[in-house]
Amino acid sequence: MSTLRDLAEEHTSLRPADIDHLHRIAGDWQLLSDLSFADLLLWVPVDGDGTFLCVAQVRPTTAPTAYLDDQVGRIVGGPEVAHLEVAHRQGRIWREGDPVWYGDVPARHEAIPVRLRTADGESGEVVAVVGRDTNLSTARTPSQLELNYLTTADDLAQMIADGTFPPPRHPGETTSAPRVGDGLVRLDANGKVTYASPNAQSAYRRLGYASHLVGEDLAKLHRRLASDPLEGTDAGNAVLAALRGEAPPRREIDARGATMLTRALPLMPAGVPIGALVLVRDITEVRRRDRALITKDATIREIHHRVKNNLQTVAALLRLQARRVAMPEARVALEESVRRVASIALVHETLSMSSDEAVEFDGIVDRVASAATEVAATEVSVGMRRQGSFGVLPAEIATSLVMVLNELLLNAVEHGFPPAGEEGASGTEGAPEPAVVVSAHRFRKQLHVSVADNGRGLPEQFDAEKGGNLGLQIVRALVTGELRGTIELRNGARGGTEAVLVVPLARGTADRLAG
Protein backbone atom coordinates (compact mmCIF):
# COMPACT_ATOMS: atom_id res chain seq x y z
CA MET A 1 0.00 0.00 0.00
CA SER A 2 1.21 3.51 -0.80
CA THR A 3 2.38 5.68 2.06
CA LEU A 4 0.93 9.03 3.07
CA ARG A 5 3.77 10.82 1.29
CA ASP A 6 3.39 8.73 -1.88
CA LEU A 7 -0.34 9.41 -2.09
CA ALA A 8 0.02 13.13 -1.39
CA GLU A 9 2.82 13.60 -3.93
CA GLU A 10 0.96 11.64 -6.61
CA HIS A 11 -2.46 13.31 -6.31
CA THR A 12 -1.85 16.78 -4.82
CA SER A 13 0.44 19.78 -5.05
CA LEU A 14 1.13 19.93 -1.32
CA ARG A 15 4.54 21.26 -0.38
CA PRO A 16 7.08 19.09 1.49
CA ALA A 17 6.47 21.16 4.64
CA ASP A 18 2.72 20.47 4.36
CA ILE A 19 3.29 16.74 4.01
CA ASP A 20 5.70 16.75 6.95
CA HIS A 21 2.98 18.39 9.08
CA LEU A 22 0.50 15.70 8.01
CA HIS A 23 3.04 13.07 9.04
CA ARG A 24 3.32 14.67 12.48
CA ILE A 25 -0.47 14.57 12.86
CA ALA A 26 -0.64 10.93 11.81
CA GLY A 27 2.15 10.14 14.27
CA ASP A 28 0.28 11.64 17.25
CA TRP A 29 -3.42 11.41 16.48
CA GLN A 30 -4.11 8.11 18.24
CA LEU A 31 -4.50 10.34 21.31
CA LEU A 32 -7.30 12.34 19.67
CA SER A 33 -8.97 9.21 18.30
CA ASP A 34 -9.08 7.57 21.74
CA LEU A 35 -10.34 10.73 23.44
CA SER A 36 -13.02 11.17 20.75
CA PHE A 37 -14.13 7.51 20.71
CA ALA A 38 -14.02 7.98 16.94
CA ASP A 39 -12.22 7.02 13.76
CA LEU A 40 -9.99 9.70 12.29
CA LEU A 41 -9.43 9.94 8.54
CA LEU A 42 -6.95 12.37 7.01
CA TRP A 43 -8.35 13.84 3.77
CA VAL A 44 -6.43 15.97 1.26
CA PRO A 45 -8.07 17.77 -1.67
CA VAL A 46 -7.19 16.33 -5.06
CA ASP A 47 -5.97 19.02 -7.42
CA GLY A 48 -8.67 20.68 -9.48
CA ASP A 49 -11.52 18.14 -9.47
CA GLY A 50 -13.40 18.79 -6.19
CA THR A 51 -12.63 15.37 -4.72
CA PHE A 52 -10.79 14.35 -1.55
CA LEU A 53 -8.28 11.55 -1.05
CA CYS A 54 -7.86 9.64 2.24
CA VAL A 55 -4.12 9.39 2.98
CA ALA A 56 -4.23 8.03 6.56
CA GLN A 57 -6.64 6.44 9.02
CA VAL A 58 -6.62 5.52 12.69
CA ARG A 59 -9.19 3.58 14.71
CA PRO A 60 -9.96 4.19 18.40
CA THR A 61 -8.89 1.72 21.07
CA THR A 62 -11.64 3.03 23.37
CA ALA A 63 -14.70 2.40 21.16
CA PRO A 64 -15.88 0.34 18.16
CA THR A 65 -14.74 1.51 14.74
CA ALA A 66 -17.10 3.08 12.23
CA TYR A 67 -15.23 1.45 9.34
CA LEU A 68 -14.57 -2.25 8.95
CA ASP A 69 -12.71 -1.61 5.68
CA ASP A 70 -9.53 0.41 5.25
CA GLN A 71 -10.25 3.83 3.74
CA VAL A 72 -6.67 4.80 2.83
CA GLY A 73 -6.31 5.47 -0.89
CA ARG A 74 -10.04 6.07 -1.37
CA ILE A 75 -11.04 9.10 -3.48
CA VAL A 76 -14.54 10.49 -2.95
CA GLY A 77 -16.49 13.48 -4.22
CA GLY A 78 -19.95 15.00 -4.48
CA PRO A 79 -22.37 15.15 -1.52
CA GLU A 80 -20.27 12.63 0.42
CA VAL A 81 -17.53 15.22 0.93
CA ALA A 82 -19.67 18.32 1.44
CA HIS A 83 -18.65 18.54 5.11
CA LEU A 84 -14.96 18.23 4.17
CA GLU A 85 -15.35 20.98 1.60
CA VAL A 86 -16.91 23.34 4.15
CA ALA A 87 -14.13 22.72 6.70
CA HIS A 88 -11.45 23.14 4.03
CA ARG A 89 -12.90 26.27 2.44
CA GLN A 90 -14.10 28.07 5.59
CA GLY A 91 -11.33 26.90 7.91
CA ARG A 92 -13.69 25.94 10.74
CA ILE A 93 -14.75 22.73 12.47
CA TRP A 94 -17.91 21.32 10.89
CA ARG A 95 -20.34 19.57 13.24
CA GLU A 96 -23.69 20.01 11.47
CA GLY A 97 -25.63 17.30 9.73
CA ASP A 98 -27.59 14.16 10.50
CA PRO A 99 -26.05 10.75 11.16
CA VAL A 100 -25.05 8.73 8.11
CA TRP A 101 -25.00 4.96 7.61
CA TYR A 102 -22.09 2.75 6.59
CA GLY A 103 -23.82 -0.54 5.93
CA ASP A 104 -25.53 -1.36 9.23
CA VAL A 105 -23.42 1.12 11.23
CA PRO A 106 -24.81 4.60 12.02
CA ALA A 107 -22.09 7.26 12.31
CA ARG A 108 -21.77 10.94 13.07
CA HIS A 109 -19.59 13.07 10.77
CA GLU A 110 -17.31 15.89 11.87
CA ALA A 111 -14.63 17.68 9.89
CA ILE A 112 -11.58 19.42 11.40
CA PRO A 113 -9.44 21.69 9.19
CA VAL A 114 -5.70 21.06 9.38
CA ARG A 115 -3.84 24.33 9.41
CA LEU A 116 -0.06 24.73 9.09
CA ARG A 117 1.23 27.78 10.93
CA THR A 118 3.75 30.05 9.21
CA ALA A 119 7.39 30.39 10.24
CA ASP A 120 6.59 33.52 12.30
CA GLY A 121 3.83 31.70 14.21
CA GLU A 122 0.89 33.22 12.35
CA SER A 123 -2.16 31.19 11.36
CA GLY A 124 -1.51 29.65 7.95
CA GLU A 125 -3.63 28.07 5.26
CA VAL A 126 -5.68 24.91 5.53
CA VAL A 127 -3.80 22.03 3.88
CA ALA A 128 -6.03 19.05 4.76
CA VAL A 129 -9.08 17.97 6.74
CA VAL A 130 -9.39 15.40 9.53
CA GLY A 131 -12.67 13.53 9.38
CA ARG A 132 -13.85 12.49 12.85
CA ASP A 133 -16.45 9.75 12.42
CA THR A 134 -18.11 8.22 15.49
CA ASN A 135 -19.87 4.86 15.57
CA LEU A 136 -23.30 5.56 17.13
CA SER A 137 -24.44 1.95 17.45
CA THR A 138 -23.44 1.85 21.13
CA ALA A 139 -24.51 5.40 22.00
CA ARG A 140 -25.55 5.90 25.65
CA THR A 141 -25.41 8.51 28.39
CA PRO A 142 -21.70 9.33 28.80
CA SER A 143 -19.92 8.79 32.13
CA GLN A 144 -17.75 11.35 33.87
CA LEU A 145 -14.68 9.77 32.27
CA GLU A 146 -16.22 9.94 28.80
CA LEU A 147 -17.32 13.56 29.27
CA ASN A 148 -13.77 14.56 30.25
CA TYR A 149 -12.37 12.61 27.31
CA LEU A 150 -14.74 14.32 24.87
CA THR A 151 -14.10 17.79 26.31
CA THR A 152 -10.35 17.30 25.99
CA ALA A 153 -10.78 15.90 22.46
CA ASP A 154 -12.66 19.04 21.41
CA ASP A 155 -9.84 21.21 22.77
CA LEU A 156 -7.24 19.24 20.80
CA ALA A 157 -9.43 19.33 17.67
CA GLN A 158 -9.52 23.11 17.90
CA MET A 159 -5.74 23.14 18.31
CA ILE A 160 -5.43 21.12 15.06
CA ALA A 161 -7.60 23.77 13.40
CA ASP A 162 -5.35 26.47 14.92
CA GLY A 163 -2.16 24.72 13.79
CA THR A 164 -0.83 24.24 17.35
CA PHE A 165 -1.31 20.45 17.57
CA PRO A 166 0.58 18.19 17.45
CA PRO A 167 3.52 19.72 19.31
CA PRO A 168 7.07 19.33 17.98
CA ARG A 169 8.59 15.96 18.77
CA HIS A 170 11.73 15.89 20.86
CA PRO A 171 14.80 14.04 19.47
CA GLY A 172 14.72 10.32 20.25
CA GLU A 173 11.16 10.47 21.57
CA THR A 174 8.56 7.91 20.50
CA THR A 175 4.77 8.22 20.36
CA SER A 176 3.95 4.81 21.82
CA ALA A 177 3.51 5.69 25.49
CA PRO A 178 1.75 6.77 27.54
CA ARG A 179 -1.68 6.47 25.93
CA VAL A 180 -5.12 7.65 26.98
CA GLY A 181 -6.07 4.32 28.51
CA ASP A 182 -2.90 4.22 30.61
CA GLY A 183 -4.00 7.21 32.69
CA LEU A 184 -5.25 10.75 32.06
CA VAL A 185 -5.10 13.85 34.27
CA ARG A 186 -6.65 17.18 33.26
CA LEU A 187 -5.44 20.43 34.82
CA ASP A 188 -6.94 23.89 34.91
CA ALA A 189 -5.01 27.05 34.07
CA ASN A 190 -3.59 27.16 37.62
CA GLY A 191 -2.20 23.64 37.44
CA LYS A 192 -4.86 22.12 39.72
CA VAL A 193 -6.26 18.69 38.88
CA THR A 194 -9.86 18.88 37.67
CA TYR A 195 -10.12 15.21 36.64
CA ALA A 196 -8.05 12.02 36.98
CA SER A 197 -9.01 8.73 35.37
CA PRO A 198 -9.07 5.57 37.53
CA ASN A 199 -5.88 4.28 35.89
CA ALA A 200 -4.12 7.58 36.58
CA GLN A 201 -5.23 7.45 40.22
CA SER A 202 -3.83 3.90 40.49
CA ALA A 203 -0.49 4.97 38.98
CA TYR A 204 -0.06 7.73 41.57
CA ARG A 205 -1.06 5.32 44.33
CA ARG A 206 1.88 3.11 43.29
CA LEU A 207 4.11 6.15 43.87
CA GLY A 208 2.75 6.50 47.42
CA TYR A 209 -0.04 9.06 46.97
CA ALA A 210 -3.21 7.50 48.41
CA SER A 211 -5.53 10.54 48.35
CA HIS A 212 -7.70 11.64 45.45
CA LEU A 213 -5.93 13.78 42.88
CA VAL A 214 -8.70 16.31 42.18
CA GLY A 215 -7.75 19.71 43.57
CA GLU A 216 -4.04 18.91 43.88
CA ASP A 217 -1.32 21.13 42.41
CA LEU A 218 0.27 18.50 40.16
CA ALA A 219 3.65 20.22 39.75
CA LYS A 220 4.12 20.43 43.52
CA LEU A 221 2.88 16.85 43.94
CA HIS A 222 5.53 15.57 41.50
CA ARG A 223 8.24 17.35 43.46
CA ARG A 224 7.02 15.83 46.73
CA LEU A 225 6.67 12.28 45.47
CA ALA A 226 9.93 11.79 43.54
CA SER A 227 12.72 9.95 45.35
CA ASP A 228 15.30 12.03 43.48
CA PRO A 229 14.77 15.78 44.08
CA LEU A 230 16.23 16.67 40.67
CA GLU A 231 13.91 14.19 38.96
CA GLY A 232 10.95 15.61 40.86
CA THR A 233 11.90 19.15 39.87
CA ASP A 234 12.13 18.15 36.20
CA ALA A 235 8.73 16.44 36.31
CA GLY A 236 7.18 19.43 38.07
CA ASN A 237 8.73 21.88 35.62
CA ALA A 238 7.32 19.84 32.72
CA VAL A 239 3.81 20.44 34.07
CA LEU A 240 4.46 24.16 34.44
CA ALA A 241 5.88 24.32 30.91
CA ALA A 242 2.69 22.74 29.52
CA LEU A 243 0.61 25.31 31.40
CA ARG A 244 2.63 28.03 29.65
CA GLY A 245 1.77 26.54 26.24
CA GLU A 246 4.98 24.58 25.72
CA ALA A 247 5.32 20.85 25.01
CA PRO A 248 8.09 19.47 27.27
CA PRO A 249 9.65 16.03 26.75
CA ARG A 250 8.34 12.99 28.59
CA ARG A 251 9.55 12.59 32.17
CA GLU A 252 9.83 9.68 34.57
CA ILE A 253 9.15 9.75 38.30
CA ASP A 254 10.60 7.12 40.66
CA ALA A 255 9.17 6.74 44.14
CA ARG A 256 8.89 3.85 46.61
CA GLY A 257 10.27 1.38 44.07
CA ALA A 258 7.71 2.33 41.40
CA THR A 259 8.27 4.25 38.15
CA MET A 260 5.74 6.37 36.27
CA LEU A 261 6.15 7.90 32.82
CA THR A 262 4.44 11.27 32.29
CA ARG A 263 3.68 13.32 29.20
CA ALA A 264 2.35 16.86 29.61
CA LEU A 265 0.55 18.59 26.73
CA PRO A 266 -0.76 22.18 26.67
CA LEU A 267 -4.46 22.83 26.13
CA MET A 268 -4.82 26.14 24.32
CA PRO A 269 -7.80 26.14 21.92
CA ALA A 270 -8.02 29.34 19.90
CA GLY A 271 -4.62 30.27 21.33
CA VAL A 272 -5.93 30.68 24.89
CA PRO A 273 -4.11 28.60 27.58
CA ILE A 274 -6.84 26.87 29.60
CA GLY A 275 -4.76 24.19 31.32
CA ALA A 276 -2.89 21.03 30.43
CA LEU A 277 -3.39 17.37 29.72
CA VAL A 278 -1.06 14.95 31.53
CA LEU A 279 -0.89 11.33 30.38
CA VAL A 280 0.67 8.88 32.83
CA ARG A 281 1.68 5.25 32.68
CA ASP A 282 2.94 2.88 35.34
CA ILE A 283 6.15 1.44 33.84
CA THR A 284 7.52 -0.17 37.00
CA GLU A 285 7.74 -3.65 35.47
CA VAL A 286 9.20 -2.30 32.23
CA ARG A 287 12.02 -0.55 34.10
CA ARG A 288 12.60 -3.60 36.28
CA ARG A 289 13.11 -5.72 33.16
CA ASP A 290 15.35 -3.02 31.69
CA ARG A 291 17.53 -3.07 34.81
CA ALA A 292 17.67 -6.87 34.67
CA LEU A 293 18.78 -6.74 31.02
CA ILE A 294 21.41 -4.10 31.80
CA THR A 295 22.74 -6.26 34.62
CA LYS A 296 22.78 -9.30 32.35
CA ASP A 297 24.58 -7.40 29.57
CA ALA A 298 27.15 -6.11 32.03
CA THR A 299 27.69 -9.64 33.34
CA ILE A 300 28.16 -11.03 29.84
CA ARG A 301 30.64 -8.28 28.96
CA GLU A 302 32.55 -8.98 32.17
CA ILE A 303 32.68 -12.69 31.27
CA HIS A 304 34.09 -11.86 27.83
CA HIS A 305 36.61 -9.54 29.47
CA ARG A 306 37.76 -12.29 31.83
CA VAL A 307 37.91 -14.87 29.03
CA LYS A 308 40.07 -12.45 27.05
CA ASN A 309 42.37 -11.98 30.06
CA ASN A 310 42.60 -15.74 30.61
CA LEU A 311 43.40 -16.35 26.94
CA GLN A 312 46.11 -13.69 27.07
CA THR A 313 47.52 -15.40 30.17
CA VAL A 314 47.55 -18.75 28.34
CA ALA A 315 49.28 -17.08 25.37
CA ALA A 316 51.89 -15.55 27.69
CA LEU A 317 52.58 -18.94 29.31
CA LEU A 318 52.96 -20.60 25.92
CA ARG A 319 55.27 -17.82 24.78
CA LEU A 320 57.38 -18.26 27.94
CA GLN A 321 57.53 -22.01 27.38
CA ALA A 322 58.55 -21.50 23.74
CA ARG A 323 61.56 -19.47 24.80
CA ARG A 324 62.80 -22.33 27.00
CA VAL A 325 62.32 -25.14 24.49
CA ALA A 326 65.49 -26.27 22.76
CA MET A 327 63.86 -28.15 19.88
CA PRO A 328 63.10 -25.80 16.93
CA GLU A 329 60.02 -27.80 15.90
CA ALA A 330 58.51 -27.57 19.38
CA ARG A 331 59.24 -23.84 19.54
CA VAL A 332 57.49 -23.24 16.22
CA ALA A 333 54.46 -25.28 17.34
CA LEU A 334 54.19 -23.31 20.59
CA GLU A 335 54.50 -19.98 18.76
CA GLU A 336 51.73 -21.02 16.36
CA SER A 337 49.55 -21.88 19.35
CA VAL A 338 50.25 -18.43 20.81
CA ARG A 339 48.97 -16.77 17.63
CA ARG A 340 45.84 -18.94 17.55
CA VAL A 341 44.98 -18.17 21.15
CA ALA A 342 45.65 -14.46 20.59
CA SER A 343 43.29 -14.36 17.60
CA ILE A 344 40.44 -15.79 19.71
CA ALA A 345 41.23 -13.28 22.45
CA LEU A 346 40.67 -10.49 19.90
CA VAL A 347 37.04 -11.55 19.47
CA HIS A 348 36.39 -11.69 23.21
CA GLU A 349 38.06 -8.31 23.64
CA THR A 350 35.65 -6.83 21.10
CA LEU A 351 32.66 -8.58 22.69
CA SER A 352 33.61 -7.20 26.10
CA MET A 353 33.05 -3.70 24.70
CA SER A 354 29.83 -4.54 22.83
CA SER A 355 26.26 -4.30 24.11
CA ASP A 356 25.20 -7.56 22.43
CA GLU A 357 26.63 -10.87 21.31
CA ALA A 358 27.81 -9.52 17.95
CA VAL A 359 30.94 -7.77 16.73
CA GLU A 360 31.97 -5.42 13.94
CA PHE A 361 34.31 -7.87 12.23
CA ASP A 362 36.23 -5.59 9.87
CA GLY A 363 38.40 -4.16 12.66
CA ILE A 364 39.24 -7.65 13.89
CA VAL A 365 40.28 -8.77 10.41
CA ASP A 366 42.50 -5.71 10.01
CA ARG A 367 44.25 -6.40 13.32
CA VAL A 368 44.74 -10.10 12.53
CA ALA A 369 46.14 -9.24 9.08
CA SER A 370 48.55 -6.71 10.56
CA ALA A 371 49.72 -9.22 13.17
CA ALA A 372 50.24 -11.90 10.51
CA THR A 373 52.75 -9.76 8.64
CA GLU A 374 54.59 -8.87 11.84
CA VAL A 375 54.97 -12.33 13.36
CA ALA A 376 55.29 -14.52 10.27
CA ALA A 377 58.58 -16.42 10.11
CA THR A 378 59.69 -14.98 6.78
CA GLU A 379 62.06 -12.32 5.54
CA VAL A 380 59.66 -11.24 2.78
CA SER A 381 57.72 -8.00 3.34
CA VAL A 382 54.09 -8.63 2.38
CA GLY A 383 51.41 -5.97 1.93
CA MET A 384 47.94 -6.65 3.35
CA ARG A 385 44.68 -5.22 2.00
CA ARG A 386 40.98 -5.77 2.71
CA GLN A 387 38.20 -5.37 0.13
CA GLY A 388 34.51 -5.19 1.02
CA SER A 389 33.05 -5.51 4.48
CA PHE A 390 32.31 -8.40 6.80
CA GLY A 391 29.89 -6.22 8.76
CA VAL A 392 28.39 -7.39 12.04
CA LEU A 393 28.82 -11.07 12.91
CA PRO A 394 27.48 -13.01 15.90
CA ALA A 395 30.03 -14.33 18.35
CA GLU A 396 29.58 -17.97 17.36
CA ILE A 397 30.61 -17.19 13.77
CA ALA A 398 33.24 -14.56 14.61
CA THR A 399 35.24 -16.78 16.97
CA SER A 400 35.70 -19.58 14.44
CA LEU A 401 36.11 -17.29 11.43
CA VAL A 402 38.91 -15.28 13.03
CA MET A 403 40.89 -18.48 13.60
CA VAL A 404 40.31 -19.53 9.99
CA LEU A 405 41.49 -16.18 8.64
CA ASN A 406 44.48 -16.15 10.98
CA GLU A 407 45.65 -19.52 9.64
CA LEU A 408 45.03 -18.59 6.00
CA LEU A 409 46.84 -15.27 6.30
CA LEU A 410 49.84 -16.79 8.06
CA ASN A 411 49.96 -19.60 5.53
CA ALA A 412 49.86 -17.11 2.63
CA VAL A 413 52.65 -14.97 4.10
CA GLU A 414 54.93 -17.82 5.17
CA HIS A 415 54.48 -20.22 2.24
CA GLY A 416 53.15 -18.15 -0.65
CA PHE A 417 56.28 -16.18 -1.57
CA PRO A 418 59.78 -17.38 -2.51
CA PRO A 419 62.52 -16.27 -0.12
CA ALA A 420 65.14 -13.80 -1.30
CA GLY A 421 67.47 -15.26 -3.90
CA GLU A 422 64.99 -17.72 -5.41
CA GLU A 423 63.45 -17.26 -8.84
CA GLY A 424 60.33 -15.08 -8.65
CA ALA A 425 61.30 -13.57 -5.31
CA SER A 426 60.44 -9.95 -4.61
CA GLY A 427 63.05 -7.60 -6.00
CA THR A 428 63.88 -9.71 -9.05
CA GLU A 429 63.07 -8.28 -12.44
CA GLY A 430 59.38 -8.53 -13.31
CA ALA A 431 58.32 -9.91 -9.92
CA PRO A 432 55.29 -8.14 -8.36
CA GLU A 433 55.41 -6.78 -4.84
CA PRO A 434 54.15 -9.48 -2.46
CA ALA A 435 50.53 -8.84 -1.47
CA VAL A 436 47.61 -10.61 0.18
CA VAL A 437 44.03 -9.41 -0.33
CA VAL A 438 41.14 -10.39 1.95
CA SER A 439 37.76 -9.92 0.25
CA ALA A 440 34.26 -10.24 1.70
CA HIS A 441 30.75 -9.75 0.37
CA ARG A 442 27.23 -10.97 1.12
CA PHE A 443 25.03 -12.93 -1.26
CA ARG A 444 21.76 -14.76 -0.52
CA LYS A 445 22.24 -14.90 3.24
CA GLN A 446 25.78 -16.19 2.84
CA LEU A 447 29.13 -14.60 3.59
CA HIS A 448 31.63 -15.10 0.76
CA VAL A 449 35.26 -14.63 1.77
CA SER A 450 38.46 -15.03 -0.19
CA VAL A 451 42.11 -14.79 0.86
CA ALA A 452 44.26 -14.38 -2.26
CA ASP A 453 48.00 -13.80 -2.70
CA ASN A 454 50.12 -13.11 -5.76
CA GLY A 455 52.81 -15.59 -4.79
CA ARG A 456 54.00 -18.83 -6.33
CA GLY A 457 50.74 -20.76 -6.03
CA LEU A 458 50.04 -24.25 -4.79
CA PRO A 459 52.60 -26.98 -5.34
CA GLU A 460 51.96 -29.49 -8.09
CA GLN A 461 49.67 -32.40 -7.22
CA PHE A 462 48.54 -30.59 -4.06
CA ASP A 463 45.52 -32.38 -2.53
CA ALA A 464 43.31 -29.75 -0.95
CA GLU A 465 41.36 -32.39 1.00
CA LYS A 466 44.30 -34.20 2.50
CA GLY A 467 47.38 -32.04 1.98
CA GLY A 468 48.62 -29.09 3.97
CA ASN A 469 50.04 -28.49 7.39
CA LEU A 470 48.27 -28.49 10.75
CA GLY A 471 47.00 -24.96 10.13
CA LEU A 472 45.12 -25.99 6.99
CA GLN A 473 43.70 -29.03 8.79
CA ILE A 474 42.39 -26.70 11.50
CA VAL A 475 40.90 -24.45 8.81
CA ARG A 476 39.04 -27.33 7.13
CA ALA A 477 37.74 -28.63 10.45
CA LEU A 478 36.45 -25.20 11.53
CA VAL A 479 34.88 -24.28 8.19
CA THR A 480 33.04 -27.55 7.63
CA GLY A 481 32.24 -28.13 11.30
CA GLU A 482 31.70 -24.99 13.38
CA LEU A 483 30.82 -22.68 10.49
CA ARG A 484 28.86 -25.28 8.44
CA GLY A 485 30.41 -23.82 5.31
CA THR A 486 32.70 -24.78 2.47
CA ILE A 487 36.29 -23.96 1.53
CA GLU A 488 38.21 -24.32 -1.71
CA LEU A 489 41.96 -23.92 -2.16
CA ARG A 490 43.03 -23.22 -5.72
CA ASN A 491 45.54 -21.43 -7.88
CA GLY A 492 44.44 -17.93 -8.81
CA ALA A 493 43.59 -17.00 -12.39
CA ARG A 494 46.55 -14.58 -12.46
CA GLY A 495 48.87 -16.65 -10.33
CA GLY A 496 49.20 -17.07 -6.61
CA THR A 497 46.90 -18.99 -4.31
CA GLU A 498 43.27 -18.30 -3.46
CA ALA A 499 41.24 -19.69 -0.57
CA VAL A 500 37.48 -19.25 -1.09
CA LEU A 501 35.07 -19.66 1.85
CA VAL A 502 31.26 -19.66 1.84
CA VAL A 503 29.71 -19.32 5.30
CA PRO A 504 25.91 -19.48 5.81
CA LEU A 505 24.47 -16.71 7.97
CA ALA A 506 21.47 -16.91 10.26
CA ARG A 507 18.50 -14.74 9.18
CA GLY A 508 19.08 -12.14 11.90
CA THR A 509 22.76 -11.87 10.96
CA ALA A 510 21.96 -11.44 7.29
CA ASP A 511 19.49 -8.67 8.12
CA ARG A 512 22.05 -6.83 10.25
CA LEU A 513 24.65 -7.12 7.51
CA ALA A 514 22.18 -5.88 4.91
CA GLY A 515 21.57 -2.80 7.05
Side-chain angles (χ1 to χ4, degrees):
M1 179 177 290
S2 299
T3 64
L4 186 160
R5 186 176 299 276
D6 293 336
L7 290 169
E9 289 178 347
E10 180 180 355
H11 297 280
T12 75
S13 57
L14 291 175
R15 300 165 301 178
D18 300 332
I19 298 175
D20 289 341
H21 184 60
L22 299 185
H23 267 293
R24 286 194 295 273
I25 288 178
D28 226 348
W29 68 348
Q30 184 70 58
L31 169 64
L32 178 59
S33 177
D34 291 343
L35 289 171
S36 303
F37 307 100
D39 291 75
L40 300 183
L41 283 70
L42 187 56
W43 297 95
V44 294
V46 178
D47 293 337
D49 61 0
T51 60
F52 282 79
L53 165 69
C54 181
V55 295
Q57 175 183 4
V58 64
R59 294 181 172 90
T61 61
T62 52
T65 180
Y67 299 98
L68 295 179
D69 298 327
D70 192 10
Q71 302 296 302
V72 176
R74 183 172 173 236
I75 299 178
V76 294
E80 192 174 351
V81 298
H83 62 301
L84 303 177
E85 180 62 35
V86 171
H88 184 263
R89 186 178 64 256
Q90 300 181 9
R92 66 175 180 87
I93 297 178
W94 185 93
R95 291 193 174 96
E96 304 88 59
D98 297 324
V100 295
W101 290 82
Y102 296 111
D104 297 330
V105 178
R108 181 178 63 247
H109 269 332
E110 295 178 69
I112 306 165
V114 176
R115 186 172 275 107
L116 176 63
R117 299 185 77 82
T118 61
D120 56 3
E122 296 297 322
S123 179
E125 61 181 1
V126 176
V127 297
V129 179
V130 171
R132 182 163 60 166
D133 302 334
T134 306
N135 185 331
L136 299 178
S137 60
T138 58
R140 55 186 172 80
T141 302
S143 64
Q144 185 185 12
L145 179 146
E146 292 165 335
L147 287 173
N148 277 277
Y149 276 21
L150 291 170
T151 300
T152 305
D154 287 343
D155 292 334
L156 293 180
Q158 184 60 54
M159 291 172 65
I160 288 180
D162 298 337
T164 57
F165 184 88
R169 189 177 303 175
H170 296 273
E173 204 168 48
T174 65
T175 60
S176 59
R179 290 190 172 188
V180 169
D182 297 324
L184 177 145
V185 179
R186 185 177 172 115
L187 309 180
D188 63 17
N190 297 318
K192 299 292 183 65
V193 178
T194 60
Y195 176 76
S197 70
N199 281 347
Q201 192 71 53
S202 297
Y204 279 93
R205 190 170 290 116
R206 290 289 300 274
L207 295 180
Y209 185 76
S211 301
H212 204 276
L213 284 167
V214 173
E216 278 289 335
D217 186 317
L218 198 65
K220 293 180 180 179
L221 179 61
H222 284 177
R223 292 176 181 137
R224 293 203 311 267
L225 290 177
S227 302
D228 184 343
L230 181 59
E231 186 180 87
T233 299
D234 288 343
N237 289 342
V239 173
L240 296 177
L243 294 172
R244 293 193 301 268
E246 303 171 13
R250 292 164 174 79
R251 300 291 186 188
E252 291 185 10
I253 302 176
D254 290 294
R256 300 180 60 175
T259 305
M260 184 174 72
L261 177 64
T262 68
R263 183 190 185 194
L265 293 167
L267 294 177
M268 44 189 306
V272 179
I274 62 171
L277 172 67
V278 180
L279 300 174
V280 300
R281 181 185 179 187
D282 180 2
I283 57 170
T284 304
E285 289 304 311
V286 175
R287 288 295 171 261
R288 184 190 63 79
R289 290 194 294 268
D290 287 346
R291 287 191 291 270
L293 287 173
I294 290 172
T295 301
K296 179 181 178 182
D297 289 343
T299 302
I300 291 174
R301 287 197 297 272
E302 178 62 21
I303 290 172
H304 284 301
H305 180 71
R306 295 188 181 188
V307 170
K308 183 262 296 183
N309 288 344
N310 290 339
L311 288 172
Q312 288 179 338
T313 301
V314 171
L317 292 173
L318 290 173
R319 193 177 296 111
L320 181 63
Q321 185 66 43
R323 292 172 182 168
R324 300 192 175 191
V325 170
M327 296 178 59
E329 296 85 355
R331 185 182 303 110
V332 170
L334 288 171
E335 289 173 348
E336 289 179 351
S337 297
V338 168
R339 292 193 291 269
R340 289 163 186 149
V341 172
S343 66
I344 301 174
L346 273 179
V347 175
H348 287 280
E349 180 182 3
T350 305
L351 287 169
S352 69
M353 297 180 289
S354 173
S355 59
D356 55 19
E357 286 293 284
V359 294
E360 285 283 354
F361 201 69
D362 290 347
I364 294 176
V365 173
D366 293 342
R367 291 174 66 180
V368 169
S370 176
T373 59
E374 293 174 1
V375 303
T378 177
E379 59 188 35
V380 179
S381 178
V382 180
M384 289 283 185
R385 184 161 54 92
R386 173 173 55 83
Q387 290 181 342
S389 175
F390 288 81
V392 179
L393 295 179
E396 62 269 19
I397 292 179
T399 303
S400 298
L401 186 57
V402 72
M403 286 192 64
V404 169
L405 293 176
N406 179 66
E407 297 295 338
L408 291 175
L409 289 168
L410 281 171
N411 199 65
V413 172
E414 293 184 345
H415 305 293
F417 303 97
E422 285 191 13
E423 182 181 352
S426 176
T428 61
E429 185 177 353
E433 290 297 322
V436 178
V437 179
V438 182
S439 303
H441 71 277
R442 305 175 299 273
F443 181 70
R444 294 182 179 175
K445 298 180 183 179
Q446 293 178 330
L447 179 63
H448 293 246
V449 183
S450 72
V451 178
D453 63 60
N454 61 350
R456 54 188 168 188
L458 295 172
E460 294 183 7
Q461 300 181 351
F462 176 80
D463 188 343
E465 294 298 323
K466 299 179 182 179
N469 54 21
L470 175 61
L472 290 180
Q473 294 176 23
I474 293 174
V475 166
R476 282 194 291 268
L478 288 173
V479 172
T480 59
E482 297 295 324
L483 297 175
R484 302 187 304 279
T486 60
I487 181 170
E488 179 185 2
L489 292 174
R490 64 195 183 197
N491 285 315
R494 299 182 179 180
T497 305
E498 185 177 22
V500 180
L501 291 79
V502 178
V503 178
L505 298 171
R507 181 179 180 83
T509 307
D511 292 342
R512 286 196 298 271
L513 284 169

